[in-house]
Amino acid sequence: MIKAIFLIQAEDKKGLLASTVDFFYSKGFNILHCQQHTDSYERRFFMRIELDASDMKTTRKALEDEFRALADDLGLDWSLHWSDYRMRVAILVSKTSHCLYDLISRQLEGELQCEIPLIISNHPDMEKVANQFRIPYYYFPVGDDKAKQEGKIRDLLKRFDIDLVVLARYMQILSPEFTDEWKGKIINIHHAFLPAFQGANPYLRAYNRGVKMIGATAHYASEDLDQGPIIEQDVVRVNHELTPTGLKEVGKDCERRVLASAVKAHLEHRIIIYSNKTIVFSVER
Amino acid sequence: MIKAIFLIQAEDKKGLLASTVDFFYSKGFNILHCQQHTDSYERRFFMRIELDASDMKTTRKALEDEFRALADDLGLDWSLHWSDYRMRVAILVSKTSHCLYDLISRQLEGELQCEIPLIISNHPDMEKVANQFRIPYYYFPVGDDKAKQEGKIRDLLKRFDIDLVVLARYMQILSPEFTDEWKGKIINIHHAFLPAFQGANPYLRAYNRGVKMIGATAHYASEDLDQGPIIEQDVVRVNHELTPTGLKEVGKDCERRVLASAVKAHLEHRIIIYSNKTIVFSVER
Amino acid sequence: MIKAIFLIQAEDKKGLLASTVDFFYSKGFNILHCQQHTDSYERRFFMRIELDASDMKTTRKALEDEFRALADDLGLDWSLHWSDYRMRVAILVSKTSHCLYDLISRQLEGELQCEIPLIISNHPDMEKVANQFRIPYYYFPVGDDKAKQEGKIRDLLKRFDIDLVVLARYMQILSPEFTDEWKGKIINIHHAFLPAFQGANPYLRAYNRGVKMIGATAHYASEDLDQGPIIEQDVVRVNHELTPTGLKEVGKDCERRVLASAVKAHLEHRIIIYSNKTIVFSVER
Amino acid sequence: MIKAIFLIQAEDKKGLLASTVDFFYSKGFNILHCQQHTDSYERRFFMRIELDASDMKTTRKALEDEFRALADDLGLDWSLHWSDYRMRVAILVSKTSHCLYDLISRQLEGELQCEIPLIISNHPDMEKVANQFRIPYYYFPVGDDKAKQEGKIRDLLKRFDIDLVVLARYMQILSPEFTDEWKGKIINIHHAFLPAFQGANPYLRAYNRGVKMIGATAHYASEDLDQGPIIEQDVVRVNHELTPTGLKEVGKDCERRVLASAVKAHLEHRIIIYSNKTIVFSVER
């Protein structure tokens, strides 16, 4: 079945739901799933609607144009996605393999519906993993000129028609130019339960503070380090028996799970960003 | 704000969502929250819709009648609830106080929006708790004639206009007549992670089996013991250091939390029962 | 059974375990439980040892003196506790009842083995709860002279022979004099997952940051606000459907559980403080 | 650092801890970690003791002999393990890759300290995964003669000097001869929260029962299907939006985590089996 998925947000007002639902019904679509949320605190309307587009009477272009007319009337901010398009994901890594292995194996098992046409790194270490899965590996050391190194990466992303960049423990801060250009399209995993322990060495700092749980946070990258919209978080219980090294090892499972879950939500068009926060819709599976 | 809440289910077919949403829109209602779920496996449509009914143009009776006409047309199975009605809850207990204290204190704090006009027991032990909160306490020992004892309880529930019965560790099996009469209106807490350890002594059996987690299950009572629709479950991690007594103590927290959460969902009209299962909608708070 | 519990810490060196265990064995004690932890990072030795003291051959005083001699030799920092002594706990509250109800009901059910001889508050609101359980309630408004108000509380704690102070949502910062005098004997519940959201209004700040989990932290009070040794933490998953008010309500369960668990660990002599952190031993139950 | 690890169990009696600790102290060992547990319900003593064996004065054989003398005196049931020996693990799979990828990648990252000299399957599907990591793959279809197929596997395990067999979703029941020969050395992952949903199709049965959490269980294989000693369990929260297929997918994460955690505990010699249950000691990391 081919599905069309609309993600919609707007300032809340009466009739948004009825008008939208009515539009799709009048076009003869079967609505598979409709999720609506109104943030009464921010007075904002959010909706995800999933249509059966298997036997569409019109072209995709025509549907898009007709919906645009309605959206302009109602003041909707929206995007349209088709289930038969597989997004193209670039993975950026540094020296650790746990998130990389996890993402690739989930893609191979069909859990993550996407292509992974390349892996990019500032270190040579992960080339062996890329080779095991026959994924092209690009190694760009940072060196003296960081802007130049970043330029090479950004060129490559364009050349490979990349839709989503996943920082799977890529230990370099991105420039504002990079995060601006790819706004809402870079997912980072931070190895702490943000906003606790922003910045470097979170596990050592967690040890020193004596916390009883450690966590991981997946978020969209933004100009301000570790400040972008949070997509997913999870924690794991720890105790006095764990040294900083032990915390790091225990934390890996959390990182894997949280990053994979955030990437999956993005690939399934379940995320709307608003006001530096995310609405993450659940889906029937 | 006064809210009207509709709970709807039907065999799935095109246009159910659009027709329903359109009905409320055409009556001038502001739709506060609309949640829709289609079980593609069972081909069944479920919906919870919350309306702002503060300045209704018609009577409640009129709204009900008009919606009935639509529902008959579409083949909807539905119920309507008003947020300004506080449900009347009877708590049945035996000898343990942890769930009883928990429910009463949550009601006093406004977390559970209901009245608790009486507590019923087959033992005298909990009268002192009832007295602390000045709630009438009825003690009916089971004795030789269980049907007679049950009859007294059922009479009392009618006399007090009870809407919901909560079995807060009431250690008596109810007759099919009782569970039939109160179908979908009795919530029980079972001190195990059902369907594991159905029946008596779950903690001892959990100990003997050497499980690494124990749990609790809140479900609607049905004729078959521990087989009714599950509303909520939770577990807690345990290890070899816990004896059966320790498991029991640790499990209490689980029981409290799970029972309170299920009762809350019922009071907020967030549960639809279908095919011995529940759909539990979440809500904006 | 009467138990003697030793809590021991020392700079790590060979033979600490053997010497200590041997001491108790040579005195004819049955060792019920022995837990030992060496922090290899800090090179520090920690131990909790539980003895059957039912048919002791000597006096308690004699045992203490003999162990002191050994401890001085080995350079142990230690304390001795007897299971037949019920600690006396003062609860301090402001306006919210959820932790208060929870602590009292757990004490009544025997989950928390202690006395609660009084409740102290800077507001009159919780007097009705105290009255339900016939616990003396002392109301000291803060007014202009905070030092004076605190003085009254500290006098009362001495007069009532209090062993442990529990801040069950007491919304006042304590002076360094108070926290110094009661070092390691005041447990506070903070309604956030520290070190995230230190200070006021954590739920609003969690909402604004768009976190996907909120938490609670129980810690010993120290001079620096929200910086004392953490005893216990827990979190609960939240999503975009929760407003700041909703987060607050959902967080209550976490607060209850975390505070009760920390108080229980303290009452059972399972906590050793070192370097602004805690070792919390588990126990057989 | 080379470590010697003793796992000890015995009928409980006075002096077991003191005698054992004293033995190692008198031999000049530094005790790195000592964990002792007495099951007061079963009156049984359990201990794990970790020694620094870097500069041993005697041979390993001599230490073993001397400890045997003590153990015979005290009636200890024990085993001795050396940290510089890497256990040899055979992975058995059928058609699914998620646990296989997970185990291999954790081994490569050093999280699981072992060798994986071969993968065995009753299907050809996973050969491509084995090839990616250059691990020999043996494919033995079950065919008409199951005993013969099992014979080939058992031969291979001997020939490869295997220490531990991991059933990473191997969908064949093993014969009692096999489980007897490898008692306490076969770890299986069951995709349900045992004892709920023993046997086949747990996810479909979980769907039909309408449970609100699903889980996974790692246990030692025994003659009786799904009845062996449980090592580790975990659950994940689910709701009405998940079909049986969705439950299956969500459950995979649980299976991965639980199996890896059980294998790790076995490799680190942290498990003692008694009375169809396990004591799983935690360790400093």
Side-chain angles (χ1 to χ4, degrees), chain B:
Chain B
M1 188 199 298
I2 297 168
K3 297 176 184 178
I5 297 145
F6 283 84
L7 292 175
I8 298 167
Q9 61 174 307
E11 199 181 321
D12 192 29
K13 63 180 174 193
K14 232 185 220 185
L16 288 179
L17 178 63
S19 309
T20 322
V21 165
D22 202 56
F23 171 85
F24 295 115
Y25 184 55
S26 69
K27 301 282 170 213
F29 281 106
N30 193 14
I31 296 174
L32 297 168
H33 214 63
C34 169
Q35 286 163 294
Q36 175 262 329
H37 167 63
T38 308
D39 188 325
S40 58
Y41 200 77
E42 304 263 15
R43 302 191 137 278
R44 194 147 186 100
F45 173 93
F46 301 94
M47 191 161 87
R48 182 184 188 274
I49 198 158
E50 210 176 290
L51 310 169
D52 182 349
S54 304
D55 50 351
M56 263 184 30
K57 309 288 186 287
T58 54
T59 63
R60 295 185 176 191
K61 176 79 175 59
L63 174 67
E64 213 170 318
D65 289 344
E66 289 180 84
F67 189 79
R68 182 171 299 112
L70 176 77
D72 289 350
D73 260 19
L74 296 171
L76 308 179
D77 189 354
W78 62 286
S79 62
L80 168 55
H81 310 272
W82 299 93
S83 68
D84 56 357
Y85 176 73
R86 283 170 73 88
M87 291 181 78
R88 296 170 63 78
V89 177
I91 302 180
L92 270 67
V93 287
S94 289
K95 290 179 160 189
T96 51
S97 62
H98 60 288
C99 285
L100 181 60
Y101 268 127
D102 190 65
L103 291 170
I104 297 173
S105 68
R106 284 176 202 261
Q107 189 261 0
L108 290 170
E109 288 160 25
E111 214 175 304
L112 297 177
Q113 295 279 350
C114 63
E115 306 296 328
I116 302 176
L118 82 167
I119 295 168
I120 303 172
S121 182
N122 57 335
H123 289 284
D125 308 56
M126 291 297 107
E127 186 173 7
K128 63 179 192 301
V129 177
N131 287 348
Q132 283 173 333
F133 298 95
R134 295 168 193 273
I135 302 173
Y137 186 82
Y138 291 82
Y139 163 42
F140 299 129
V142 175
D144 295 339
D145 191 345
K146 205 178 146 177
K148 199 174 158 192
Q149 188 252 12
E150 229 183 40
K152 286 181 190 168
I153 296 177
R154 291 163 69 188
D155 285 351
L156 214 54
L157 298 178
K158 262 178 225 153
R159 185 140 61 82
F160 273 82
D161 280 324
I162 292 305
D163 298 296
L164 175 69
V165 176
V166 177
L167 308 179
R169 302 298 308 276
Y170 180 69
M171 308 310 274
Q172 285 292 320
I173 295 168
L174 304 185
S175 69
E177 291 73 33
F178 197 162
T179 55
D180 265 16
E181 185 188 356
W182 285 85
K183 200 171 180 175
K185 290 177 181 174
I186 305 177
I187 296 179
N188 182 40
I189 179 73
H190 190 274
H191 44 316
F193 190 69
L194 293 177
F197 308 122
Q198 285 175 211
N201 286 327
Y203 290 126
L204 178 58
R205 287 153 65 209
Y207 172 82
N208 286 330
R209 183 63 189 92
V211 293
K212 299 300 185 186
M213 301 186 112
I214 55 166
T217 304
H219 63 95
Y220 286 112
S222 67
E223 185 172 346
D224 300 309
L225 185 64
D226 303 339
Q227 294 284 355
I230 293 172
I231 306 168
E232 172 71 342
Q233 301 190 287
D234 206 356
V235 295
V236 59
R237 190 166 282 277
V238 297
N239 69 8
H240 55 268
E241 289 185 313
L242 294 164
T243 62
T245 315
L247 292 174
K248 202 170 169 176
E249 195 190 296
V250 167
K252 279 177 172 184
D253 255 338
C254 226
E255 296 171 27
R256 267 187 273 247
R257 211 157 64 225
V258 165
L259 180 58
S261 169
V263 170
K264 188 171 174 66
H266 185 97
L267 295 176
E268 295 174 354
H269 314 294
R270 296 193 277 114
I271 310 177
I272 298 179
I273 301 175
Y274 174 69
S275 177
N276 206 39
K277 294 193 281 190
T278 62
I279 282 82
V280 182
F281 293 105
S282 58
V283 285
E284 205 204 3
R285 281 185 200 166

Side-chain angles (χ1 to χ4, degrees), chain A residues 106 241 243 253 282 285, chain D residues 106 241 243 253 282 284-285:
Chain A
R106 284 175 201 262
E241 289 185 313
T243 62
D253 255 338
S282 58
R285 280 186 201 165
Chain D
R106 284 176 202 260
E241 288 185 312
T243 62
D253 254 338
S282 58
E284 204 203 6
R285 281 185 200 165

Side-chain angles (χ1 to χ4, degrees), chain D residues 63-123:
Chain D
L63 174 66
E64 213 170 318
D65 289 345
E66 289 179 82
F67 189 78
R68 182 170 299 113
L70 177 76
D72 289 350
D73 261 19
L74 296 171
L76 308 181
D77 189 354
W78 61 287
S79 62
L80 168 55
H81 311 272
W82 299 93
S83 68
D84 56 358
Y85 175 71
R86 284 169 71 87
M87 291 182 80
R88 296 171 63 78
V89 177
I91 302 181
L92 270 67
V93 288
S94 288
K95 290 177 160 190
T96 51
S97 62
H98 61 287
C99 285
L100 181 60
Y101 268 126
D102 191 65
L103 291 171
I104 297 173
S105 68
R106 284 176 202 260
Q107 190 261 358
L108 290 170
E109 288 160 25
E111 214 176 305
L112 297 178
Q113 296 279 352
C114 63
E115 306 297 327
I116 303 176
L118 83 166
I119 295 168
I120 303 172
S121 182
N122 56 336
H123 290 284

Side-chain angles (χ1 to χ4, degrees), chain A residues 120-138:
Chain A
I120 303 172
S121 181
N122 57 335
H123 289 284
D125 310 55
M126 291 297 107
E127 186 172 6
K128 63 179 192 301
V129 177
N131 286 348
Q132 284 173 332
F133 298 94
R134 295 169 194 271
I135 302 173
Y137 186 82
Y138 291 82

